[in-house]
Amino acid sequence: MICFIALIVFGILGIFSATHRKLALEAFDCVFKRVTLRKCTTGLDVRLKSKITSSFLEKSPKLGQWIYRYFEVLSWAFTILMIGSLVWSGISIYNYVEYGNCNGPNVKDQQGLCIFDPTKENAQISSCGEGELVSSNPLLEPSLQGVNLSLFPQYSGTEVKDEIVYVGCYACANTKKVNPVINQLATENKDTLKFVFIHLPLHQEYGYINKIENCLFVENEAAYWKFHNALMSMPLEQIKDKENVLKELEKITEVITEVNSSEIIYCSENYEAEKLFQAQIKEINKMNVEGTPTIFVNQQVFIGPKPLRVYERALSTQRDWFGISLIVVGALILIMILYFAIFKRE
Amino acid sequence: MLKKLFQKKKEIHTPYFRKDFPVLERAVKGKPIIYFDNACMSLRPKQVIEKSNEYYYNYPGCAGRSNHLIAEEVEREVSLARQEVAEFFGADSAKSVIFTKNCTEGINLVANAIRFVPGEMVLTSDKEHNSNLIPWLKLQKEGKIKHDFIESTVENEFSLEKLREKLREHTGKVKLVSVVYTSNLDGVTNPVKEIIEISHKAGALVLLDCAQAAQHQEINIKKLGADFISVSSHKLCGPNGVGALISTQKNLQLLQQFMVGGETVKDSHLEGSYNPEDIPERFEAGLQNYPGIIGFAEGLRYLKQVGLENIHEHLKLLNQVATEGLSTIEKVKILGPASAEKRSGILSFVILGKPVHEVSLLLNNLHNIMVRSGAHCVHGWFNHHQDTVFKDGTVRASFGFYNTPEEVEELVKAVKEIANL
């Protein structure tokens, strides 16, 4: 059984040294034979046992003797531990590729430790503070159940197959980080997507942006998306100043002449706009989001800025090639093992 | 007790010779090394190393081709070496010595150069090294000969009775009896004088694999009456990659050329004809291993200086010490005759319940004792004896004249320790 451990150890050392590469090949031969229910004939196991026990026997004869006697049991124990940790590592890699974190699709797991993302960059969110517009229950997961999405700016492709609900905030660093990815996703799948953007103003002071946006969307959808993109591109420091936001609105209305900035500002300050804004906040509260970005792709929730592949995999139009490859490779290995175990017995 | 046993017999002054072997000065982890793998390869004294180097330093040329000073010097050294080998093995002339790569090549030369008539047989013992088994099995596979073997006795000794039976069974068909002189498996020396007599009476030629025997006993081809003997230099304190096939002029005339090329012909014509060179050069294709050949002769001179009889006695004694020591360990089983006298310098054993490779590795790792484990290239015997405790091979300690009784005691102590693990 020691060959299983040797394969991993020498395999890693073999990257750097030719001597260990040879040992790794021997270990592979031994492991392959054991897996295919044949006898290991390389003698590597015997050499390793002798080498290991000898070094213990030299230092402490009693301990060495004990290790020599129970070497097979110890080898089994370490091999099982190693296989267990390999399986867990495999699951972590799969999760990282599939969900952008090591721990799987659950929302709580997405915040957990991940060796491939040690700084948790893929899981960072800008959280809602105490007494702010929205609050969340940490015991519940974010959900779109019962949420009236028709209250928010959105567009639909000609043949909708997937739905993306993007909860972001113009004044948040993590939203700005994920935004180019979401833009790319939305552009590449524009014909098959229903795309909803929900601006979650983490602070009361940014609520005016929602109201302007709502008025703009009702007035001219193209002007709204232009304004949306402009705010997403605006540096964080600038967006904190209302003047800059209004200037951006001004710029857009200069290009899209059907829209008048003064009318939009007037609209955003009236009672109807406030009413719609409050209705939106009520719906956002139903979602139970902890912060931004929170992105729903169909029913799967992603917390924090994930790589593009993670969102793509959740789309119904994308084939999960990674998963398919894993299944194919697994099946081929199984067939090969069975072939050698049945037809190539010595 | 072991030392007392030693004092009873004539002892080689081991320390005197040990200083000639630089490798014996090596120590690993502060402990000296103990080399007990002499059946595989003997150590080389300084004299041999220096003699081989002499070729590269002083006359690194071709023998028998060019006519300049260096070529003449190397030609002279090679001739002297051939003469030395001929004298050492009692050949009728230096021309009866064919230099080969090793003992295996010598046997292959005979196997491929004898003119066999389909249906003719070759007999071997059941303890042959692959070197003296595979050439015959290959010819049998090609349909050129038939091969049969003579089963050993219960004590793993050669059975002359069974040889007679086989020769009777295959009357007139046995062209060659090819047997090992001293087995590398268990050290048993076969009664070759009797084997030769019996075989000759039945009209068969005899080839002796002398790889193990030559290092500890006198082999005189003339006195023995053998037709061919094959030896390796590396088991005779000589360099690697050289050996010799020794025969008589009469027998060598019976052989056809096997490997041909440079130095094996006097003349050649594009139209298709060529004139073979005289014996022995006609069997020595291509440029030869001159430093090896020169060192080979020096190794033989060194052995003569130590004295083959002395070596024989010393090895027997060491084996007796080892056998007595190991016999006290319950789990140890020795392969071959119980008496150490019959096993020359070889002691093959197993520790019940311990894989043989594991034992040899532990001996090496814990005590710097170098032995060999496995089937020792005698797979045929092991596959034929799968119902014994030796089915997975043995640990083989093979002694040299430079080994000491203290080293053997160390082996006994170490085996005891491993058996108790």
Side-chain angles (χ1 to χ4, degrees):
Chain A
M1 290 314 292
I2 192 78
C3 288
F4 284 83
I5 301 169
L7 176 61
I8 304 297
V9 175
F10 292 141
I12 294 166
L13 293 175
I15 297 168
F16 311 103
S17 114
T19 321
H20 289 102
R21 215 168 298 147
K22 197 168 164 268
L23 289 169
L25 283 173
E26 258 187 74
F28 175 78
D29 185 53
C30 188
V31 167
F32 188 71
K33 283 193 170 133
R34 292 295 296 256
V35 168
T36 52
L37 310 176
R38 293 176 296 165
K39 206 177 163 189
C40 170
T41 50
T42 65
L44 182 68
D45 47 350
V46 176
R47 273 182 283 149
L48 288 172
K49 182 182 175 183
S50 306
K51 193 91 190 159
I52 293 166
T53 50
S54 300
S55 41
F56 280 102
L57 278 164
E58 277 172 342
K59 289 181 182 85
S60 160
K62 275 193 177 172
L63 177 64
Q65 199 168 25
W66 185 83
I67 290 171
Y68 179 85
R69 282 185 186 163
Y70 299 103
F71 193 82
E72 199 56 22
V73 178
L74 290 168
S75 299
W76 268 98
F78 280 113
T79 304
I80 289 167
L81 285 173
M82 190 200 65
I83 290 173
S85 64
L86 278 181
V87 169
W88 280 113
S89 304
I91 291 170
S92 298
I93 292 170
Y94 177 80
N95 283 335
Y96 183 71
V97 173
E98 198 81 1
Y99 305 108
N101 73 85
C102 296
N103 307 302
N106 291 338
V107 172
K108 298 290 168 216
D109 293 340
Q110 289 186 30
Q111 304 291 318
L113 176 74
C114 179
I115 191 80
F116 306 112
D117 182 22
T119 55
K120 289 192 181 178
E121 278 206 21
N122 286 355
Q124 280 173 353
I125 52 167
S126 312
S127 303
C128 310
E130 284 245 338
E132 295 294 348
L133 285 169
V134 293
S135 61
S136 64
N137 181 347
L139 298 174
L140 297 174
E141 286 199 358
S143 162
L144 290 176
Q145 215 170 4
V147 177
N148 182 6
L149 292 174
S150 65
L151 294 179
F152 300 97
Q154 56 191 272
Y155 78 80
S156 290
T158 48
E159 202 184 334
V160 174
K161 288 179 181 162
D162 297 294
E163 182 183 74
I164 293 180
V165 178
Y166 173 17
V167 182
C169 141
Y170 295 120
C172 304
N174 295 311
T175 300
K176 290 210 179 289
K177 197 171 165 191
V178 80
N179 195 61
V181 172
I182 299 298
N183 270 353
Q184 191 182 343
L185 185 74
T187 312
E188 284 172 2
N189 300 278
K190 62 176 190 279
D191 294 335
T192 55
L193 272 190
K194 178 186 175 187
F195 183 85
V196 182
F197 177 70
I198 298 174
H199 180 238
L200 172 57
L202 291 181
H203 302 288
Q204 301 247 16
E205 57 188 282
Y206 296 118
Y208 77 94
I209 296 177
N210 287 51
K211 291 174 197 168
I212 289 174
E213 279 195 329
N214 289 340
C215 291
L216 202 55
F217 186 74
V218 171
E219 191 66 27
N220 186 309
E221 284 189 24
Y224 163 79
W225 290 113
K226 219 167 171 50
F227 184 59
H228 165 82
N229 288 336
L231 293 188
M232 279 296 183
S233 312
M234 193 179 278
L236 275 178
E237 286 309 307
Q238 287 183 26
I239 210 159
K240 285 176 185 167
D241 187 346
K242 192 175 177 180
E243 281 303 308
N244 291 329
V245 175
L246 294 178
K247 263 186 209 161
E248 204 59 51
L249 178 66
E250 198 90 21
K251 273 192 216 164
I252 284 162
T253 52
E254 278 168 14
V255 179
I256 303 172
T257 48
E258 302 95 76
V259 185
N260 182 302
S261 63
S262 311
E263 279 176 20
I264 296 296
I265 292 165
Y266 177 74
C267 162
S268 70
E269 287 168 352
N270 71 26
Y271 172 70
E272 284 303 316
E274 177 63 26
K275 215 170 124 185
L276 176 59
F277 175 59
Q278 289 307 327
Q280 284 178 332
I281 295 297
K282 201 174 157 193
E283 292 306 307
I284 294 170
N285 270 321
K286 281 187 203 167
M287 288 182 192
N288 197 44
V289 290
E290 278 182 57
T292 62
T294 299
I295 293 152
F296 298 82
V297 181
N298 297 322
Q299 290 308 308
Q300 177 64 51
V301 194
F302 297 101
I303 313 279
K306 310 289 185 204
L308 179 65
R309 65 163 195 279
V310 175
Y311 301 118
E312 281 181 336
R313 281 173 202 287
L315 295 177
S316 64
T317 49
Q318 298 283 329
R319 274 200 198 285
D320 183 7
W321 289 114
F322 181 64
I324 293 168
S325 314
L326 283 183
I327 293 167
V328 170
V329 169
L332 284 175
I333 291 172
L334 191 66
I335 289 167
M336 196 169 68
I337 286 171
L338 288 173
Y339 172 77
F340 277 93
I342 297 166
F343 299 110
K344 293 277 176 185
R345 294 200 69 81
E346 281 151 7
Chain B
M1 191 275 281
L2 300 173
K3 276 180 191 162
K4 256 189 214 166
L5 184 73
F6 238 79
Q7 281 156 9
K8 282 184 201 166
K9 306 256 180 169
K10 183 184 173 189
E11 194 185 338
I12 288 179
H13 186 47
T14 310
Y16 176 77
F17 293 107
R18 277 179 77 89
K19 69 175 172 39
D20 289 337
F21 295 84
V23 70
L24 292 175
E25 288 163 21
R26 271 191 72 176
V28 179
K29 291 184 207 163
K31 281 199 300 198
I33 59 162
I34 299 176
Y35 186 77
F36 285 155
D37 196 15
N38 295 284
C40 182
M41 187 173 286
S42 66
L43 302 179
R44 279 66 161 203
K46 276 189 280 201
Q47 290 84 335
V48 169
I49 299 165
E50 281 159 13
K51 189 71 186 171
S52 285
N53 281 344
E54 192 182 287
Y55 167 81
Y56 290 111
Y57 280 116
N58 299 334
Y59 40 85
C62 295
R65 299 171 190 219
S66 312
N67 55 7
H68 50 75
L69 173 77
I70 281 181
E72 277 176 14
E73 282 178 357
V74 69
E75 173 64 27
R76 192 185 64 232
E77 285 296 333
V78 169
S79 299
L80 285 174
R82 205 185 289 278
Q83 189 60 43
E84 183 66 48
V85 176
E87 279 171 22
F88 193 90
F89 293 103
D92 56 2
S93 110
K95 287 183 179 296
S96 301
V97 174
I98 299 164
F99 286 120
T100 59
K101 203 162 65 191
N102 43 44
C103 179
T104 306
E105 190 175 274
I107 296 170
N108 270 278
L109 172 59
V110 175
N112 289 280
I114 285 188
R115 292 178 175 88
F116 286 107
V117 175
E120 281 185 330
M121 290 199 75
V122 172
L123 283 181
T124 64
S125 77
D126 61 351
K127 291 192 326 195
E128 297 305 330
H129 190 283
N130 284 331
S131 301
N132 192 26
L133 178 65
I134 309 303
W136 313 118
L137 295 184
K138 182 173 175 280
L139 289 182
Q140 179 173 250
K141 216 174 186 179
E142 291 165 0
K144 292 175 182 166
I145 63 156
K146 283 183 179 164
H147 167 258
D148 202 354
F149 62 90
I150 301 139
E151 199 140 356
S152 298
T153 64
V154 184
E155 276 238 292
N156 222 26
E157 292 180 86
F158 192 88
S159 166
L160 291 170
E161 196 41 53
K162 283 186 182 156
L163 169 67
R164 286 191 194 96
E165 274 173 31
K166 287 283 176 191
L167 288 169
R168 266 198 302 272
E169 191 186 328
H170 307 295
T171 308
K173 288 183 187 165
V174 179
K175 174 96 173 182
L176 181 78
V177 175
S178 183
V179 288
V180 64
Y181 196 150
T182 296
S183 166
N184 73 312
L185 174 67
D186 56 9
V188 170
T189 296
N190 289 333
V192 290
K193 185 93 181 140
E194 290 82 355
I195 292 171
I196 292 164
E197 274 174 23
I198 294 165
S199 303
H200 280 173
K201 267 185 201 164
L205 296 166
V206 177
L207 163 63
L208 297 179
D209 168 0
C210 295
Q212 289 302 327
Q215 60 180 279
H216 65 92
Q217 61 197 354
E218 190 202 338
I219 298 172
N220 188 308
I221 189 168
K222 212 185 289 170
K223 282 187 198 162
L224 285 173
D227 298 291
F228 304 97
I229 64 170
S230 192
V231 292
S232 282
S233 152
H234 66 265
K235 288 183 169 67
L236 301 169
C237 292
N240 292 354
V242 65
L245 177 74
I246 301 122
S247 183
T248 59
Q249 284 296 300
K250 190 180 141 215
N251 281 326
L252 290 177
Q253 293 291 349
L254 299 174
L255 302 182
Q256 57 191 351
Q257 281 187 295
F258 168 44
M259 284 179 74
V260 287
E263 283 295 297
T264 61
V265 288
K266 286 177 175 165
D267 195 10
S268 63
H269 301 272
L270 290 173
E271 289 72 23
S273 63
Y274 61 88
N275 305 325
E277 183 53 273
D278 294 334
I279 292 170
E281 285 84 2
R282 74 165 63 160
F283 298 111
E284 295 173 351
L287 194 118
Q288 297 298 293
N289 177 2
Y290 304 126
I293 290 168
I294 294 161
F296 180 15
E298 191 61 25
L300 297 181
R301 283 181 208 113
Y302 189 86
L303 286 178
K304 275 202 292 194
Q305 193 192 332
V306 182
L308 289 174
E309 204 185 321
N310 295 336
I311 295 174
H312 187 66
E313 287 304 313
H314 184 75
L315 297 188
K316 265 184 8 189
L317 222 52
L318 290 178
N319 204 344
Q320 206 174 337
V321 174
T323 302
E324 287 192 13
L326 294 189
S327 301
T328 60
I329 308 166
E330 206 186 329
K331 287 180 189 166
V332 170
K333 300 285 168 214
I334 295 170
L335 174 63
S339 162
E341 294 245 338
K342 292 182 175 176
R343 285 185 272 103
S344 65
I346 290 176
L347 178 66
S348 271
F349 65 95
V350 292
I351 302 177
L352 298 177
K354 302 264 187 284
V356 291
H357 294 306
E358 201 174 287
V359 175
S360 66
L361 283 163
L362 286 170
L363 284 170
N364 180 69
N365 295 342
L366 291 170
H367 302 277
N368 293 347
I369 298 175
M370 294 160 200
V371 295
R372 180 156 165 191
S373 55
H376 319 294
C377 291
V378 195
H379 298 88
W381 187 89
F382 285 98
N383 288 327
H384 197 65
H385 291 82
Q386 282 294 298
D387 53 346
T388 67
V389 293
F390 306 108
K391 65 185 169 69
D392 295 322
T394 62
V395 179
R396 184 185 70 188
S398 49
F399 311 115
F401 61 88
Y402 30 73
N403 288 127
T404 64
E406 288 77 18
E407 288 179 326
V408 177
E409 282 181 54
E410 194 64 34
L411 170 75
V412 173
K413 220 167 76 184
V415 170
K416 217 173 261 179
E417 188 186 308
I418 293 167
N420 290 330
L421 275 177

